[in-house]
Amino acid sequence: MIKNLYAFLLIAGTFNSLNAAAQDAISYQNPPKEIADLLLAKPTPAVSMDGKAEWILFSERNSYPSVEELAMPEYRIAGLRLNPNNYAPSRQNYINNFSLKNIKTNQTFQVTGLPAPLFAGNISWNPSETKIAFTQTTQKGVDLYVIDLTTKKAVKTNKAFLNVVLGSGLTWLNDQTLIYRTATQPAAAAPKKPLMPKGPTIQQNLGKAAPSATYQDLIKSPFDEQLFEFFATAQLVKNTAGVETPIGKPAIYTRVELSPDKNYMLTATIRKPFSYLVSAFGFPSTITITDQNGKTIKTIVELPSSEGTPSGYDNTQNVARSFDWRDDEPATLIWVKPLDSGLIKKSVPFHDAVYALSAPFAGTEKELFKTQTRYRGVQWGDAHLALIMEGLRSKQTNKVSRYNPATGVVEELYTRNQTDAYGNPGSPVTVKNKYGRQVIKTVDNGTKLLMNNPVGSSEKGDLPFLAKFDLATKKNEIIWRSAEGTFEYVSDVINPDKLVLLTRRESQKMVPNYFIKNLVLRIADQPVTDFANPYPSLDGITKEKISYKRADGVDLTGDLYLPKGYNKAKDGPLPTLIWAYPREFNSAADAAQIRGSKDKFTNISWGSPIYWVTRGYAILDNAEMPIVAKDGKKPNDTFIEQLKLNAEAAINKLADLGVGDKKRMAVGGHSYGAFMTANLLAHTDLFAAGIARSGAYNRTLTPFGFQNEERTYWQVPQLYYEMSPFSYADKIKTPLLLIHGDSDDNPGTFPINSERLFNAIKGAGGTTRFVFLPYEAHGYRGKENILHTLWEEDQWLEKYVKGKK
């Protein structure tokens, strides 16, 4: 018997005997070469371009770190995962190389002076875009480097190690000066856990409601509190030419934001007592305005812990929130307060009010405007234009209004359902103002907004567009749209007046690349990148977006992939894998809208099902699984019924096309898709096998709501029972492969979900296998773990789907 569960990859069950109850501790396995090659293909670099369209920074990344890297020391406290040796998060995706390209000369330069090995992150251009700062993380600490575009060289500029536990906080004060947070003590000075605690860990509640989401990695003891305080405390510094000057005193900063004129700082600092129910960003905090030297100008408010927030997605605490600088003024702070005591169901004409206070912050705040629903933010333009965003998550509504700061007039521009993809007009294009802040750009003498929609959903699939929104008529006129047969979106608007754009274009056969496009001169597009296809082995596979209808009339779609050289007449119906993720809709019409594009290049992530098209399977990816509100009820009131309708419709369509074998259908998903998979196997016999990765299977473990369900367990206990596949584990007779990371950090998907479901199915005599991946969080990262996961999935499909007679 294996005693240390986390020292081995535990796989319960066996391929040799369906009834065996043995544990199978095996070494890491690799999937077939065609799958492994796709996983390990080097990804194309990330692209960051300056505003003048002169320089591009290319950032290269490793495909996946080793499991050994994931196994490095880690503290899990206050909702954070920290490396105890370097004041940094323990789980990051790093950049391993930088290069620069001059667009005008078409020359590419390798950045010199980079540390080796490079573990870079937190890229930040200076205001004039002549320098680029980035952090370099080592096991000893986090350093700060700056790339000079003139020399193409990176130079280390810090003296003290940075503290990036609560974010990098990297800010350019001007072209030569950076503000950031540094560690106050060596990491080795961290408190040591005593063998004898001071006493038991005690929590109490004296009659005050404190509903809480099921966060992971929370503070659990007084020692955790000591560790959090030690690692989160930082010294704010100002660095000019390598000289670090302290700003104020050490504190636990969650936010440091410069005012547009750079004369003031908005800071949010955590204070005690630390909460055992919410993560660090929900701890009691103090909002303060200081000058550049850290001197307090005004304490705006002391906020309580967020653990008192009432349940319900549109409810909020009865305190001020959403503190931010107004982008179009030198130093004006804005924030919002609820007018309904934080309870959205309270009958009031307005639910939120937004206030402002300008430098020198000595007077009384001024009310700017009110919102009829819950305030979500504001985009600033100038003294006569801003856009107010508000809405309700419970009703899936979005509302955008025009606000004139000079007159105080608020005028609605449009309201739409947030699930109405066709009705999305896009987002306003912004430009830098004199303060270097991004503000709304108007065109045509200030009468229109330039709107960018990088998705552009339509009845023909996703076709991104650029449009002009007329502020008088409230109509959106599309002035450019991606050509059918390609998927091209505007990555950046280089010149809004001359309509010079940076676009990213791809097709089924063309790898994504970047181009400069001129809509006025209509000259030939200028290519700025030339990335090669990282997946040549996928050449020849076919992809199409198929449409079908479920029994109650709701239209559905999915992305169908078929193997290279497949001939329906000759090869007949194929074993099939359906991969999906359910989503809730209040509108059947919105649920029926086409999402996605058949013309996108096939990119493969670690969790993709497309690997198996190389193994002779038909793949239906992104199979729509809408859960629609019916007859005045909530969507989840008929969750199981609608899952069945969705699955039956997909299977029937694939069979009608002659490409899918009804007897050899598998279903799979990750997270909520895993929850879907287990439910389909518990309530139908439509499938030959299922794959469920990192799911939640017992909804009573998330009693204050889950996904988009805001009702609590005590309000609808029967719903929680019926939506939990654990409740019907004795009905799961279809072979189910369960995979979970033993370090899952996602709220609600605690590893115990898979452990308990496996034990329940096993106890009821079902066919199941449980793969527990060491050191993996909700998304998998370790190369060996991912390769092994793909091997497990391949073996499962080969045995229970392809090999089914």
Side-chain angles (χ1 to χ4, degrees):
M1 178 69 70
I2 297 171
K3 294 182 179 180
N4 186 354
L5 295 181
Y6 297 124
F8 296 85
L9 178 65
L10 290 188
I11 305 165
T14 178
F15 282 133
N16 298 323
S17 171
L18 299 184
N19 297 317
Q23 291 173 325
D24 185 11
I26 65 175
S27 60
Y28 281 117
Q29 300 294 309
N30 288 321
K33 185 177 184 300
E34 56 264 43
I35 291 179
D37 287 348
L38 288 172
L39 175 77
L40 300 177
K42 187 176 181 179
T44 56
V47 170
S48 176
M49 189 179 73
D50 69 3
K52 300 182 292 290
E54 184 177 350
W55 288 99
I56 288 182
L57 177 72
F58 294 125
S59 305
E60 300 177 27
R61 298 179 185 271
N62 285 327
S63 295
Y64 301 98
S66 69
V67 171
E68 186 177 16
E69 290 179 56
L70 301 186
M72 293 297 178
E74 181 178 71
Y75 284 143
R76 302 177 186 180
I77 45 176
L80 309 170
R81 294 190 172 184
L82 313 175
N83 185 324
N85 299 320
N86 63 8
Y87 285 94
S90 55
R91 297 168 182 262
Q92 300 184 61
N93 292 316
Y94 295 110
I95 297 164
N96 64 16
N97 190 34
F98 287 120
S99 58
L100 289 162
K101 180 176 181 177
N102 186 289
I103 298 174
K104 294 180 179 179
T105 65
N106 204 33
Q107 289 180 288
T108 300
F109 306 89
Q110 171 61 46
V111 175
T112 61
L114 295 174
L118 182 64
F119 293 98
N122 303 305
I123 295 171
S124 178
W125 294 71
N126 71 345
S128 64
E129 298 178 316
T130 58
K131 296 180 180 181
I132 306 169
F134 67 89
T135 56
Q136 158 71 0
T137 302
T138 71
Q139 281 304 308
K140 293 182 178 179
V142 179
D143 289 316
L144 178 64
Y145 281 73
V146 174
I147 302 170
D148 190 316
L149 267 64
T150 303
T151 63
K152 293 86 176 172
K153 183 178 181 180
V155 176
K156 179 175 173 292
T157 186
N158 65 298
K159 299 294 189 295
F161 283 132
L162 277 65
N163 184 333
V164 296
V165 163
L166 292 172
S168 73
L170 202 61
T171 304
W172 287 95
L173 178 62
N174 52 50
D175 280 343
Q176 309 301 327
T177 302
L178 280 154
I179 293 175
Y180 49 90
R181 310 165 201 170
T182 62
T184 58
Q185 300 181 63
K192 307 300 181 185
K193 188 173 184 177
L195 294 177
M196 180 65 184
K198 294 181 179 180
T201 299
I202 298 173
Q203 300 181 61
Q204 69 176 1
N205 192 63
L206 302 177
K208 185 177 180 180
S212 177
T214 48
Y215 298 110
Q216 303 206 46
D217 305 329
L218 299 180
I219 285 178
K220 299 180 178 67
S221 68
F223 177 66
D224 282 352
E225 294 187 57
Q226 293 177 9
L227 285 177
F228 171 74
E229 184 172 17
F230 177 86
F231 283 105
T233 299
Q235 174 64 58
L236 199 63
V237 301
K238 183 190 306 181
N239 182 326
T240 303
V243 177
E244 293 174 333
T245 305
I247 300 175
K249 297 180 180 179
I252 303 177
Y253 293 97
T254 59
R255 188 179 177 194
V256 177
E257 297 284 348
L258 282 169
S259 60
D261 64 6
K262 308 294 180 71
N263 290 328
Y264 302 95
M265 292 188 296
L266 168 65
T267 66
T269 54
I270 288 174
R271 66 179 195 279
K272 294 181 178 180
F274 304 144
S275 173
Y276 284 44
L277 287 179
V278 296
S279 64
F281 292 93
F283 287 1
S285 62
T286 302
I287 307 298
T288 306
I289 295 176
T290 74
D291 64 14
Q292 277 192 21
N293 299 315
K295 179 183 177 182
T296 298
I297 304 299
K298 186 177 181 66
T299 298
I300 302 298
V301 68
E302 291 195 344
L303 298 172
S305 164
S306 67
E307 64 185 48
T309 305
S311 62
Y313 292 135
D314 294 314
N315 292 330
T316 186
Q317 281 186 294
N318 191 24
V319 296
R321 68 184 195 278
S322 301
F323 294 88
D324 206 355
W325 293 110
R326 181 169 163 174
D327 294 316
D328 64 327
E329 291 194 344
T332 296
L333 185 69
I334 64 165
W335 65 90
V336 61
K337 292 181 182 178
L339 300 175
D340 53 10
S341 302
L343 303 174
I344 199 66
K345 290 185 177 179
K346 189 172 182 179
S347 181
V348 291
F350 297 95
H351 286 274
D352 282 331
V354 173
Y355 299 86
L357 183 64
S358 298
F361 312 105
T364 304
E365 66 266 24
K366 171 188 174 184
E367 181 183 298
L368 297 183
F369 56 83
K370 299 174 181 177
T371 59
Q372 293 178 324
T373 54
R374 194 60 80 205
Y375 169 83
R376 289 178 172 170
V378 60
Q379 276 189 287
W380 298 100
D382 54 31
H384 301 283
L385 176 66
L387 296 181
I388 302 168
M389 282 73 73
E390 59 179 293
L392 294 174
R393 179 175 173 180
S394 59
K395 296 185 181 298
Q396 299 182 333
T397 58
N398 278 334
K399 179 180 176 181
V400 175
S401 300
R402 178 184 184 179
Y403 169 59
N404 186 328
T407 63
V409 173
V410 176
E411 177 188 11
E412 180 181 336
L413 293 180
Y414 63 86
T415 296
R416 70 178 186 91
N417 196 309
Q418 64 191 34
T419 59
D420 174 17
Y422 293 176
N424 185 353
S427 300
V429 170
T430 60
V431 294
K432 285 185 179 180
N433 64 6
K434 63 182 180 181
Y435 304 115
R437 312 282 283 210
Q438 292 291 334
V439 293
I440 298 168
K441 169 66 176 177
T442 58
V443 294
D444 296 352
N445 297 317
T447 62
K448 296 176 183 177
L449 304 177
L450 202 56
M451 305 287 278
N452 183 24
N453 188 325
V455 178
S457 297
S458 75
E459 294 179 353
K460 295 181 179 180
D462 289 351
L463 291 170
F465 62 78
L466 191 71
K468 289 183 178 180
F469 186 93
D470 192 307
L471 291 167
T473 65
K474 303 176 185 177
K475 301 293 184 183
N476 214 34
E477 176 195 0
I478 295 175
I479 60 173
W480 172 86
R481 189 158 209 162
S482 175
E484 293 183 38
T486 65
F487 181 84
E488 184 176 13
Y489 68 86
V490 177
S491 175
D492 191 19
V493 178
I494 299 168
N495 189 318
D497 295 310
K498 296 182 179 180
L499 294 179
V500 180
L501 319 174
L502 177 71
T503 67
R504 183 179 184 269
R505 185 192 307 158
E506 62 189 284
S507 69
Q508 282 195 27
K509 296 183 178 181
M510 183 173 66
V511 68
N513 271 292
Y514 290 82
F515 300 82
I516 292 179
K517 183 185 295 289
N518 192 311
L519 297 186
V520 175
L521 298 181
R522 299 194 178 276
I523 55 179
D525 292 352
Q526 177 189 350
V528 294
T529 62
D530 187 23
F531 299 138
N533 181 0
Y535 312 118
S537 64
L538 291 183
D539 287 346
I541 69 165
T542 62
K543 173 188 177 182
E544 67 173 308
K545 182 164 284 293
I546 61 172
S547 300
Y548 48 101
K549 194 182 294 287
R550 73 186 196 186
D552 62 354
V554 175
D555 291 316
L556 305 173
T557 63
D559 297 324
L560 176 62
Y561 296 83
L562 296 173
K564 181 189 307 182
Y566 171 66
N567 184 306
K568 181 169 59 177
K570 177 183 175 182
D571 301 323
L574 298 172
T576 302
L577 174 58
I578 298 174
W579 201 264
Y581 189 97
R583 288 179 172 82
E584 298 87 347
F585 294 86
N586 287 332
S587 162
D590 289 354
Q593 291 181 348
I594 297 172
R595 291 167 174 82
S597 169
K598 64 179 176 60
D599 297 313
K600 280 189 175 182
F601 181 77
T602 300
N603 275 305
I604 300 188
S605 68
W606 66 268
S608 173
I610 300 171
Y611 295 103
W612 283 276
V613 76
T614 67
R615 299 280 286 159
Y617 291 78
I619 308 297
L620 186 64
D621 193 17
N622 300 315
E624 294 287 352
M625 292 278 175
I627 309 299
V628 185
K630 291 184 172 183
D631 304 323
K633 297 180 179 179
K634 298 284 188 180
N636 282 339
D637 291 342
T638 53
F639 181 84
I640 301 300
E641 170 193 327
Q642 293 194 61
L643 273 190
K644 293 179 185 178
L645 291 174
N646 293 325
E648 288 170 348
I651 290 171
N652 290 337
K653 178 64 176 182
L654 294 168
D656 291 343
L657 289 173
V659 300
D661 185 345
K662 274 193 171 184
K663 294 182 179 179
R664 295 188 295 170
M665 293 277 172
V667 64
H670 188 88
S671 195
Y672 210 55
F675 173 72
M676 168 206 75
T677 297
N679 264 310
L680 283 170
L681 267 53
H683 296 283
T684 77
D685 57 2
L686 297 170
F687 298 97
I691 298 172
R693 293 194 314 242
S694 299
Y697 309 112
N698 185 344
R699 297 280 42 140
T700 66
L701 297 176
T702 53
F704 289 105
F706 56 91
Q707 206 69 4
N708 283 310
E709 178 56 65
E710 64 176 341
R711 293 170 292 182
T712 69
Y713 166 77
W714 297 276
Q715 291 173 308
V716 284
Q718 191 65 24
L719 177 82
Y720 275 66
Y721 177 87
E722 292 176 353
M723 285 186 67
S724 299
F726 180 84
S727 304
Y728 304 92
D730 60 328
K731 308 297 183 185
I732 300 179
K733 301 304 180 185
T734 300
L736 176 60
L737 175 63
L738 292 164
I739 304 173
H740 217 120
D742 71 7
S743 302
D744 195 325
D745 55 348
N746 185 56
T749 54
F750 288 75
I752 194 174
N753 278 278
S754 291
E755 295 177 273
R756 291 294 182 259
L757 183 61
F758 168 75
N759 286 334
I761 297 173
K762 173 183 171 183
T767 300
T768 186
R769 182 174 174 92
F770 177 31
V771 182
F772 213 20
L773 300 173
Y775 308 112
E776 291 294 353
H778 193 61
Y780 309 159
R781 297 180 62 231
K783 179 173 65 176
E784 296 85 354
N785 279 336
I786 296 172
L787 287 167
H788 188 92
T789 293
L790 294 172
W791 177 80
E792 290 281 357
E793 293 173 326
D794 186 69
Q795 293 284 306
W796 200 255
L797 293 171
E798 290 289 293
K799 182 176 182 67
Y800 292 111
V801 182
K802 183 183 284 187
K804 185 171 182 179
K805 303 299 183 182

